[in-house]
Amino acid sequence: MAGPGDPPEGTPNGAPGGGEDEYRSVVFDESFVRAARLQEFSADERLGEHHAPAVKTRHAWARLGGSRQAVLLVLLIVLAFGTAVYMGIRHPYKAPEPAATQPLRSAVVPLAPAGAVPGGTPDDLFGHSPAADYRIGAAGVNLPAVARTEHFSDSQIVSALTTVKDYIVRSSLDPATLTGGSVRPVRLLIDTGQLDQFDRSLAHPDNNGRHAATGWLVRFDPRETRLAARDVRVDGTLSASELGPDALDVTADYTFVYAVRPAPAPGARQDGAGQHLGKATPGAASLVTVRREMHFRIDRDDLTDHRLELLRSSLQAGPMACSAQSADALHPLFAGQRAGDARPSATDPYARDLTNPPLCGQLAPSAEPKPAHPIR
């Protein structure tokens, strides 16, 4: 049998004494085992001190992710906006202010005939007048040949001339304008800086050189005058030049010839001074000649808006009595009437408030038509 220290199966075959002597040098006694301290290393310690962790620690800003980028973008936008505002306030080179719109200065000069006003049918009168070869209506307002300037192209100059042509047609040829109707088509072409002056001139006309309705347009008093023919004879010139890098000057010089007759049952008309002008010949038409010289300023904004500034207007009209200085409309003499001997009132050169002194001229006999049949 096996001893108390032997394995249950006994000692291995061929090992004397069960092999105890062979392993006796590596067997620890019980006191050594109890005194030994066991330590188990962690996974990081087993990998070594130079090993980098697989997952890095995320800070607070990193955890914000897209929110941080959004905050930074907002800060950059605020900084850029603040810089732009600061530079706009402190920048020494400011954009030049647009030129102030100048008010219109106008003058109306009546032309008195030497004798009685000739009368007849419109065709006879036109055919025997200096306007016999004039064109009719808008066809008489032709655009000149243009060439580019230093600061404006030829197309811009054509645009300015076209705007002026539209103004001439609407203010001198439109039947509604001529007979005291709507002036809206004319108003739409006026620069916005002159609209107040235009509105006041039409609502409260005054012969002060700035607020005469006849400075802006041709108008007859519908209570006195009727158009005997819708065709108006027209002749004149247009020209354009450069005022500077931002504006053009356009000059218009046109003569208009109208056939008119008195309104129904006018009776014997008197002028503003109360002078008797005589009774008009019943049924007869007469011609009224109006010459308008106008200077316009058109800047780049006006080119875009199809508007213009009318700076100066000089109008001569006849046959009229010298005392017919009404600012609201033209008051022509009709067939058979005479201007009389009235002349404008005396002018005081020391009166500073009189900006448009009364003027009068004489209508040359060559400017009057020679009727085919004498007036009886």
Side-chain angles (χ1 to χ4, degrees), residues 114-169:
V117 178
T121 65
D123 291 339
D124 287 341
L125 292 172
F126 281 129
H128 294 82
S129 76
D133 297 328
Y134 286 7
R135 294 189 177 185
I136 298 176
V141 186
N142 294 320
L143 302 186
V146 299
R148 64 170 295 121
T149 63
E150 182 179 358
H151 300 98
F152 290 89
S153 65
D154 52 356
S155 61
Q156 290 175 316
I157 297 175
V158 169
S159 177
L161 292 170
T162 301
T163 303
V164 171
K165 175 179 178 177
D166 290 344
Y167 179 84
I168 293 173
V169 171

Tab-separated table of all heavy atoms in Angstrom, residues 114-169:
chain	number	residue	atom	x	y	z
A	114	ALA	N	-50.364	144.418	-85.290
A	114	ALA	CA	-50.445	145.834	-85.670
A	114	ALA	C	-51.852	146.243	-86.048
A	114	ALA	O	-52.246	147.397	-85.854
A	114	ALA	CB	-49.491	146.110	-86.836
A	115	GLY	N	-52.651	145.308	-86.558
A	115	GLY	CA	-54.019	145.624	-86.962
A	115	GLY	C	-54.966	144.536	-86.513
A	115	GLY	O	-54.727	143.833	-85.516
A	116	ALA	N	-56.062	144.394	-87.265
A	116	ALA	CA	-57.049	143.369	-86.940
A	116	ALA	C	-56.480	141.981	-87.231
A	116	ALA	O	-55.681	141.783	-88.162
A	116	ALA	CB	-58.323	143.606	-87.735
A	117	VAL	N	-56.905	141.016	-86.439
A	117	VAL	CA	-56.430	139.638	-86.603
A	117	VAL	C	-57.094	139.017	-87.823
A	117	VAL	O	-58.330	139.032	-87.930
A	117	VAL	CB	-56.735	138.814	-85.332
A	117	VAL	CG1	-56.297	137.365	-85.517
A	117	VAL	CG2	-56.054	139.436	-84.113
A	118	PRO	N	-56.311	138.446	-88.754
A	118	PRO	CA	-56.909	137.793	-89.924
A	118	PRO	C	-57.700	136.559	-89.519
A	118	PRO	O	-57.372	135.871	-88.539
A	118	PRO	CB	-55.696	137.420	-90.784
A	118	PRO	CG	-54.575	138.261	-90.275
A	118	PRO	CD	-54.836	138.471	-88.818
A	119	GLY	N	-58.733	136.237	-90.280
A	119	GLY	CA	-59.551	135.065	-90.009
A	119	GLY	C	-59.852	134.296	-91.270
A	119	GLY	O	-59.614	134.757	-92.382
A	120	GLY	N	-60.373	133.104	-91.116
A	120	GLY	CA	-60.721	132.257	-92.252
A	120	GLY	C	-60.854	130.822	-91.787
A	120	GLY	O	-61.011	130.545	-90.592
A	121	THR	N	-60.767	129.878	-92.714
A	121	THR	CA	-60.787	128.461	-92.355
A	121	THR	C	-59.384	128.042	-91.949
A	121	THR	O	-58.382	128.635	-92.408
A	121	THR	CB	-61.264	127.606	-93.535
A	121	THR	OG1	-60.299	127.704	-94.595
A	121	THR	CG2	-62.621	128.064	-94.042
A	122	PRO	N	-59.256	127.005	-91.124
A	122	PRO	CA	-57.913	126.571	-90.722
A	122	PRO	C	-57.018	126.220	-91.901
A	122	PRO	O	-55.836	126.594	-91.912
A	122	PRO	CB	-58.202	125.356	-89.837
A	122	PRO	CG	-59.560	125.617	-89.266
A	122	PRO	CD	-60.311	126.295	-90.372
A	123	ASP	N	-57.561	125.532	-92.919
A	123	ASP	CA	-56.727	125.152	-94.059
A	123	ASP	C	-56.221	126.372	-94.813
A	123	ASP	O	-55.048	126.430	-95.205
A	123	ASP	CB	-57.515	124.239	-95.001
A	123	ASP	CG	-57.786	122.866	-94.393
A	123	ASP	OD1	-57.037	122.500	-93.455
A	123	ASP	OD2	-58.731	122.176	-94.828
A	124	ASP	N	-57.099	127.361	-95.029
A	124	ASP	CA	-56.674	128.572	-95.726
A	124	ASP	C	-55.631	129.333	-94.919
A	124	ASP	O	-54.646	129.833	-95.469
A	124	ASP	CB	-57.878	129.474	-96.010
A	124	ASP	CG	-58.775	128.939	-97.120
A	124	ASP	OD1	-58.281	128.090	-97.902
A	124	ASP	OD2	-59.943	129.353	-97.181
A	125	LEU	N	-55.860	129.413	-93.633
A	125	LEU	CA	-54.925	130.158	-92.794
A	125	LEU	C	-53.546	129.488	-92.769
A	125	LEU	O	-52.516	130.160	-92.901
A	125	LEU	CB	-55.492	130.287	-91.387
A	125	LEU	CG	-56.741	131.163	-91.236
A	125	LEU	CD1	-57.298	131.045	-89.819
A	125	LEU	CD2	-56.427	132.623	-91.554
A	126	PHE	N	-53.532	128.158	-92.580
A	126	PHE	CA	-52.255	127.455	-92.570
A	126	PHE	C	-51.562	127.561	-93.931
A	126	PHE	O	-50.342	127.740	-94.013
A	126	PHE	CB	-52.451	125.978	-92.207
A	126	PHE	CG	-52.637	125.725	-90.727
A	126	PHE	CD1	-53.699	124.965	-90.262
A	126	PHE	CD2	-51.742	126.240	-89.806
A	126	PHE	CE1	-53.860	124.724	-88.909
A	126	PHE	CE2	-51.893	126.003	-88.449
A	126	PHE	CZ	-52.961	125.240	-87.990
A	127	GLY	N	-52.343	127.426	-94.987
A	127	GLY	CA	-51.755	127.442	-96.318
A	127	GLY	C	-51.152	128.765	-96.716
A	127	GLY	O	-50.285	128.810	-97.604
A	128	HIS	N	-51.593	129.863	-96.114
A	128	HIS	CA	-51.088	131.189	-96.460
A	128	HIS	C	-50.283	131.815	-95.318
A	128	HIS	O	-50.191	133.036	-95.206
A	128	HIS	CB	-52.253	132.119	-96.835
A	128	HIS	CG	-52.953	131.714	-98.094
A	128	HIS	ND1	-53.917	130.739	-98.119
A	128	HIS	CD2	-52.812	132.159	-99.380
A	128	HIS	CE1	-54.365	130.581	-99.359
A	128	HIS	NE2	-53.701	131.439	-100.145
A	129	SER	N	-49.713	130.959	-94.480
A	129	SER	CA	-48.915	131.445	-93.354
A	129	SER	C	-47.488	130.914	-93.466
A	129	SER	O	-47.212	129.997	-94.247
A	129	SER	CB	-49.538	130.977	-92.032
A	129	SER	OG	-49.260	129.592	-91.823
A	130	PRO	N	-46.552	131.459	-92.692
A	130	PRO	CA	-45.180	130.921	-92.678
A	130	PRO	C	-45.116	129.469	-92.234
A	130	PRO	O	-44.088	128.811	-92.446
A	130	PRO	CB	-44.455	131.834	-91.689
A	130	PRO	CG	-45.245	133.105	-91.690
A	130	PRO	CD	-46.664	132.687	-91.876
A	131	ALA	N	-46.204	128.947	-91.622
A	131	ALA	CA	-46.211	127.564	-91.152
A	131	ALA	C	-46.735	126.593	-92.209
A	131	ALA	O	-46.997	125.435	-91.893
A	131	ALA	CB	-47.066	127.456	-89.888
A	132	ALA	N	-46.865	127.046	-93.458
A	132	ALA	CA	-47.423	126.186	-94.500
A	132	ALA	C	-46.615	124.912	-94.685
A	132	ALA	O	-47.171	123.844	-94.973
A	132	ALA	CB	-47.516	126.958	-95.814
A	133	ASP	N	-45.308	124.994	-94.514
A	133	ASP	CA	-44.449	123.825	-94.724
A	133	ASP	C	-44.053	123.132	-93.424
A	133	ASP	O	-43.232	122.209	-93.450
A	133	ASP	CB	-43.180	124.250	-95.477
A	133	ASP	CG	-43.484	124.783	-96.870
A	133	ASP	OD1	-44.471	124.307	-97.478
A	133	ASP	OD2	-42.749	125.684	-97.331
A	134	TYR	N	-44.627	123.563	-92.312
A	134	TYR	CA	-44.312	122.903	-91.044
A	134	TYR	C	-44.942	121.507	-91.012
A	134	TYR	O	-45.970	121.255	-91.641
A	134	TYR	CB	-44.843	123.714	-89.856
A	134	TYR	CG	-44.052	124.959	-89.543
A	134	TYR	CD1	-43.021	125.405	-90.366
A	134	TYR	CD2	-44.337	125.699	-88.396
A	134	TYR	CE1	-42.309	126.552	-90.063
A	134	TYR	CE2	-43.618	126.845	-88.086
A	134	TYR	CZ	-42.620	127.269	-88.926
A	134	TYR	OH	-41.901	128.403	-88.624
A	135	ARG	N	-44.316	120.637	-90.259
A	135	ARG	CA	-44.890	119.304	-90.068
A	135	ARG	C	-46.034	119.384	-89.051
A	135	ARG	O	-46.174	120.359	-88.322
A	135	ARG	CB	-43.820	118.332	-89.600
A	135	ARG	CG	-42.751	118.077	-90.659
A	135	ARG	CD	-41.836	116.948	-90.255
A	135	ARG	NE	-40.863	116.659	-91.295
A	135	ARG	CZ	-40.007	115.645	-91.241
A	135	ARG	NH1	-39.984	114.851	-90.175
A	135	ARG	NH2	-39.161	115.450	-92.229
A	136	ILE	N	-46.804	118.314	-89.012
A	136	ILE	CA	-47.992	118.280	-88.156
A	136	ILE	C	-47.708	117.444	-86.913
A	136	ILE	O	-47.247	116.295	-87.013
A	136	ILE	CB	-49.203	117.717	-88.922
A	136	ILE	CG1	-49.535	118.615	-90.109
A	136	ILE	CG2	-50.407	117.586	-87.989
A	136	ILE	CD1	-50.653	118.069	-90.977
A	137	GLY	N	-48.008	118.012	-85.769
A	137	GLY	CA	-47.934	117.282	-84.510
A	137	GLY	C	-46.532	116.810	-84.156
A	137	GLY	O	-45.529	117.485	-84.403
A	138	ALA	N	-46.489	115.600	-83.552
A	138	ALA	CA	-45.216	115.060	-83.058
A	138	ALA	C	-44.209	114.829	-84.169
A	138	ALA	O	-42.995	114.754	-83.896
A	138	ALA	CB	-45.472	113.758	-82.311
A	139	ALA	N	-44.666	114.728	-85.426
A	139	ALA	CA	-43.732	114.545	-86.543
A	139	ALA	C	-42.808	115.741	-86.707
A	139	ALA	O	-41.741	115.627	-87.338
A	139	ALA	CB	-44.506	114.298	-87.842
A	140	GLY	N	-43.198	116.890	-86.159
A	140	GLY	CA	-42.353	118.070	-86.252
A	140	GLY	C	-41.278	118.146	-85.193
A	140	GLY	O	-40.429	119.050	-85.231
A	141	VAL	N	-41.285	117.209	-84.245
A	141	VAL	CA	-40.270	117.190	-83.186
A	141	VAL	C	-39.311	116.048	-83.501
A	141	VAL	O	-39.539	114.897	-83.109
A	141	VAL	CB	-40.899	117.011	-81.790
A	141	VAL	CG1	-39.837	117.151	-80.706
A	141	VAL	CG2	-42.015	118.019	-81.570
A	142	ASN	N	-38.264	116.348	-84.217
A	142	ASN	CA	-37.322	115.325	-84.658
A	142	ASN	C	-36.075	115.330	-83.792
A	142	ASN	O	-35.603	116.384	-83.346
A	142	ASN	CB	-36.923	115.555	-86.122
A	142	ASN	CG	-38.094	115.358	-87.064
A	142	ASN	OD1	-38.900	114.456	-86.884
A	142	ASN	ND2	-38.191	116.217	-88.080
A	143	LEU	N	-35.514	114.145	-83.592
A	143	LEU	CA	-34.269	114.031	-82.840
A	143	LEU	C	-33.085	114.293	-83.771
A	143	LEU	O	-33.048	113.796	-84.894
A	143	LEU	CB	-34.136	112.634	-82.225
A	143	LEU	CG	-35.251	112.179	-81.285
A	143	LEU	CD1	-34.872	110.847	-80.655
A	143	LEU	CD2	-35.530	113.215	-80.213
A	144	PRO	N	-32.107	115.055	-83.311
A	144	PRO	CA	-30.931	115.321	-84.146
A	144	PRO	C	-29.977	114.130	-84.139
A	144	PRO	O	-30.103	113.202	-83.332
A	144	PRO	CB	-30.313	116.542	-83.467
A	144	PRO	CG	-30.648	116.349	-82.020
A	144	PRO	CD	-32.015	115.732	-81.991
A	145	ALA	N	-28.999	114.173	-85.016
A	145	ALA	CA	-27.931	113.181	-84.980
A	145	ALA	C	-27.096	113.407	-83.715
A	145	ALA	O	-26.839	114.544	-83.322
A	145	ALA	CB	-27.062	113.310	-86.222
A	146	VAL	N	-26.706	112.323	-83.081
A	146	VAL	CA	-25.985	112.427	-81.807
A	146	VAL	C	-24.647	111.713	-81.911
A	146	VAL	O	-24.442	110.832	-82.751
A	146	VAL	CB	-26.813	111.834	-80.643
A	146	VAL	CG1	-28.118	112.573	-80.487
A	146	VAL	CG2	-27.062	110.346	-80.860
A	147	ALA	N	-23.744	112.100	-81.043
A	147	ALA	CA	-22.446	111.451	-80.899
A	147	ALA	C	-22.109	111.399	-79.414
A	147	ALA	O	-22.467	112.300	-78.656
A	147	ALA	CB	-21.368	112.218	-81.660
A	148	ARG	N	-21.446	110.335	-79.021
A	148	ARG	CA	-21.118	110.171	-77.612
A	148	ARG	C	-20.238	111.311	-77.121
A	148	ARG	O	-19.484	111.940	-77.880
A	148	ARG	CB	-20.446	108.827	-77.360
A	148	ARG	CG	-19.101	108.651	-78.046
A	148	ARG	CD	-18.374	107.401	-77.570
A	148	ARG	NE	-18.040	107.534	-76.161
A	148	ARG	CZ	-18.463	106.703	-75.223
A	148	ARG	NH1	-19.261	105.700	-75.533
A	148	ARG	NH2	-18.092	106.874	-73.970
A	149	THR	N	-20.341	111.590	-75.825
A	149	THR	CA	-19.496	112.588	-75.190
A	149	THR	C	-18.497	111.887	-74.281
A	149	THR	O	-18.395	110.661	-74.272
A	149	THR	CB	-20.342	113.589	-74.386
A	149	THR	OG1	-21.016	112.877	-73.326
A	149	THR	CG2	-21.378	114.256	-75.272
A	150	GLU	N	-17.764	112.663	-73.510
A	150	GLU	CA	-16.733	112.068	-72.652
A	150	GLU	C	-17.328	111.136	-71.602
A	150	GLU	O	-16.747	110.098	-71.281
A	150	GLU	CB	-15.933	113.181	-71.977
A	150	GLU	CG	-14.790	112.672	-71.102
A	150	GLU	CD	-14.001	113.794	-70.463
A	150	GLU	OE1	-14.316	114.978	-70.740
A	150	GLU	OE2	-13.063	113.499	-69.690
A	151	HIS	N	-18.506	111.493	-71.068
A	151	HIS	CA	-19.079	110.712	-69.962
A	151	HIS	C	-20.419	110.057	-70.299
A	151	HIS	O	-20.978	109.353	-69.454
A	151	HIS	CB	-19.261	111.615	-68.728
A	151	HIS	CG	-17.996	112.216	-68.223
A	151	HIS	ND1	-17.604	113.509	-68.551
A	151	HIS	CD2	-17.004	111.715	-67.435
A	151	HIS	CE1	-16.449	113.772	-67.962
A	151	HIS	NE2	-16.066	112.707	-67.281
A	152	PHE	N	-20.974	110.307	-71.480
A	152	PHE	CA	-22.274	109.741	-71.832
A	152	PHE	C	-22.190	109.071	-73.203
A	152	PHE	O	-21.581	109.610	-74.142
A	152	PHE	CB	-23.355	110.837	-71.863
A	152	PHE	CG	-23.704	111.383	-70.510
A	152	PHE	CD1	-23.008	112.465	-69.970
A	152	PHE	CD2	-24.719	110.816	-69.761
A	152	PHE	CE1	-23.324	112.972	-68.727
A	152	PHE	CE2	-25.040	111.316	-68.509
A	152	PHE	CZ	-24.346	112.385	-67.988
A	153	SER	N	-22.818	107.909	-73.288
A	153	SER	CA	-22.854	107.184	-74.551
A	153	SER	C	-23.915	107.779	-75.464
A	153	SER	O	-24.776	108.555	-75.025
A	153	SER	CB	-23.141	105.703	-74.294
A	153	SER	OG	-24.447	105.546	-73.758
A	154	ASP	N	-23.863	107.390	-76.729
A	154	ASP	CA	-24.852	107.909	-77.669
A	154	ASP	C	-26.253	107.434	-77.318
A	154	ASP	O	-27.229	108.166	-77.495
A	154	ASP	CB	-24.487	107.506	-79.104
A	154	ASP	CG	-24.237	106.009	-79.229
A	154	ASP	OD1	-24.267	105.298	-78.197
A	154	ASP	OD2	-24.004	105.539	-80.358
A	155	SER	N	-26.377	106.224	-76.766
A	155	SER	CA	-27.711	105.739	-76.374
A	155	SER	C	-28.277	106.539	-75.209
A	155	SER	O	-29.487	106.793	-75.142
A	155	SER	CB	-27.642	104.252	-75.996
A	155	SER	OG	-26.778	104.046	-74.894
A	156	GLN	N	-27.427	106.979	-74.280
A	156	GLN	CA	-27.901	107.808	-73.164
A	156	GLN	C	-28.346	109.183	-73.658
A	156	GLN	O	-29.335	109.732	-73.174
A	156	GLN	CB	-26.809	107.948	-72.119
A	156	GLN	CG	-26.511	106.665	-71.347
A	156	GLN	CD	-25.338	106.816	-70.401
A	156	GLN	OE1	-24.305	107.391	-70.747
A	156	GLN	NE2	-25.481	106.311	-69.184
A	157	ILE	N	-27.638	109.731	-74.611
A	157	ILE	CA	-28.032	111.032	-75.160
A	157	ILE	C	-29.355	110.905	-75.911
A	157	ILE	O	-30.235	111.776	-75.800
A	157	ILE	CB	-26.923	111.572	-76.081
A	157	ILE	CG1	-25.642	111.814	-75.268
A	157	ILE	CG2	-27.367	112.868	-76.755
A	157	ILE	CD1	-24.464	112.241	-76.097
A	158	VAL	N	-29.516	109.823	-76.666
A	158	VAL	CA	-30.791	109.597	-77.361
A	158	VAL	C	-31.920	109.460	-76.348
A	158	VAL	O	-33.030	109.980	-76.546
A	158	VAL	CB	-30.701	108.355	-78.258
A	158	VAL	CG1	-32.071	107.958	-78.773
A	158	VAL	CG2	-29.758	108.608	-79.432
A	159	SER	N	-31.657	108.778	-75.229
A	159	SER	CA	-32.681	108.636	-74.188
A	159	SER	C	-33.069	109.998	-73.618
A	159	SER	O	-34.261	110.269	-73.387
A	159	SER	CB	-32.159	107.726	-73.077
A	159	SER	OG	-33.090	107.619	-72.024
A	160	ALA	N	-32.090	110.876	-73.383
A	160	ALA	CA	-32.393	112.213	-72.868
A	160	ALA	C	-33.212	113.012	-73.877
A	160	ALA	O	-34.199	113.680	-73.514
A	160	ALA	CB	-31.097	112.945	-72.538
A	161	LEU	N	-32.837	112.967	-75.140
A	161	LEU	CA	-33.577	113.695	-76.170
A	161	LEU	C	-34.993	113.149	-76.324
A	161	LEU	O	-35.946	113.914	-76.550
A	161	LEU	CB	-32.829	113.612	-77.503
A	161	LEU	CG	-31.489	114.363	-77.576
A	161	LEU	CD1	-30.755	114.006	-78.854
A	161	LEU	CD2	-31.703	115.864	-77.492
A	162	THR	N	-35.152	111.849	-76.191
A	162	THR	CA	-36.487	111.245	-76.291
A	162	THR	C	-37.383	111.717	-75.152
A	162	THR	O	-38.576	111.981	-75.348
A	162	THR	CB	-36.368	109.715	-76.286
A	162	THR	OG1	-35.552	109.298	-77.384
A	162	THR	CG2	-37.738	109.070	-76.408
A	163	THR	N	-36.814	111.822	-73.937
A	163	THR	CA	-37.589	112.323	-72.800
A	163	THR	C	-38.045	113.754	-73.051
A	163	THR	O	-39.202	114.119	-72.772
A	163	THR	CB	-36.754	112.250	-71.517
A	163	THR	OG1	-36.324	110.906	-71.292
A	163	THR	CG2	-37.578	112.715	-70.315
A	164	VAL	N	-37.157	114.586	-73.587
A	164	VAL	CA	-37.519	115.971	-73.879
A	164	VAL	C	-38.588	116.013	-74.973
A	164	VAL	O	-39.542	116.808	-74.898
A	164	VAL	CB	-36.272	116.779	-74.294
A	164	VAL	CG1	-36.675	118.154	-74.806
A	164	VAL	CG2	-35.320	116.903	-73.114
A	165	LYS	N	-38.460	115.183	-75.987
A	165	LYS	CA	-39.483	115.150	-77.033
A	165	LYS	C	-40.847	114.782	-76.442
A	165	LYS	O	-41.863	115.404	-76.781
A	165	LYS	CB	-39.102	114.154	-78.124
A	165	LYS	CG	-40.191	113.998	-79.178
A	165	LYS	CD	-39.801	113.025	-80.290
A	165	LYS	CE	-40.945	112.869	-81.286
A	165	LYS	NZ	-40.599	111.997	-82.433
A	166	ASP	N	-40.870	113.775	-75.580
A	166	ASP	CA	-42.139	113.397	-74.946
A	166	ASP	C	-42.723	114.569	-74.173
A	166	ASP	O	-43.942	114.794	-74.189
A	166	ASP	CB	-41.921	112.202	-74.013
A	166	ASP	CG	-41.623	110.921	-74.765
A	166	ASP	OD1	-41.874	110.880	-75.989
A	166	ASP	OD2	-41.134	109.963	-74.139
A	167	TYR	N	-41.861	115.313	-73.490
A	167	TYR	CA	-42.356	116.468	-72.729
A	167	TYR	C	-42.934	117.530	-73.666
A	167	TYR	O	-43.987	118.104	-73.393
A	167	TYR	CB	-41.225	117.061	-71.892
A	167	TYR	CG	-41.652	118.269	-71.095
A	167	TYR	CD1	-42.278	118.133	-69.864
A	167	TYR	CD2	-41.443	119.554	-71.588
A	167	TYR	CE1	-42.683	119.235	-69.133
A	167	TYR	CE2	-41.846	120.669	-70.867
A	167	TYR	CZ	-42.462	120.503	-69.652
A	167	TYR	OH	-42.872	121.601	-68.938
A	168	ILE	N	-42.257	117.808	-74.765
A	168	ILE	CA	-42.746	118.809	-75.710
A	168	ILE	C	-44.098	118.396	-76.284
A	168	ILE	O	-45.030	119.211	-76.382
A	168	ILE	CB	-41.710	119.016	-76.836
A	168	ILE	CG1	-40.446	119.667	-76.267
A	168	ILE	CG2	-42.286	119.879	-77.954
A	168	ILE	CD1	-39.309	119.750	-77.261
A	169	VAL	N	-44.224	117.133	-76.636
A	169	VAL	CA	-45.481	116.653	-77.214
A	169	VAL	C	-46.611	116.741	-76.194
A	169	VAL	O	-47.718	117.214	-76.491
A	169	VAL	CB	-45.306	115.207	-77.721
A	169	VAL	CG1	-46.645	114.602	-78.114
A	169	VAL	CG2	-44.352	115.181	-78.921
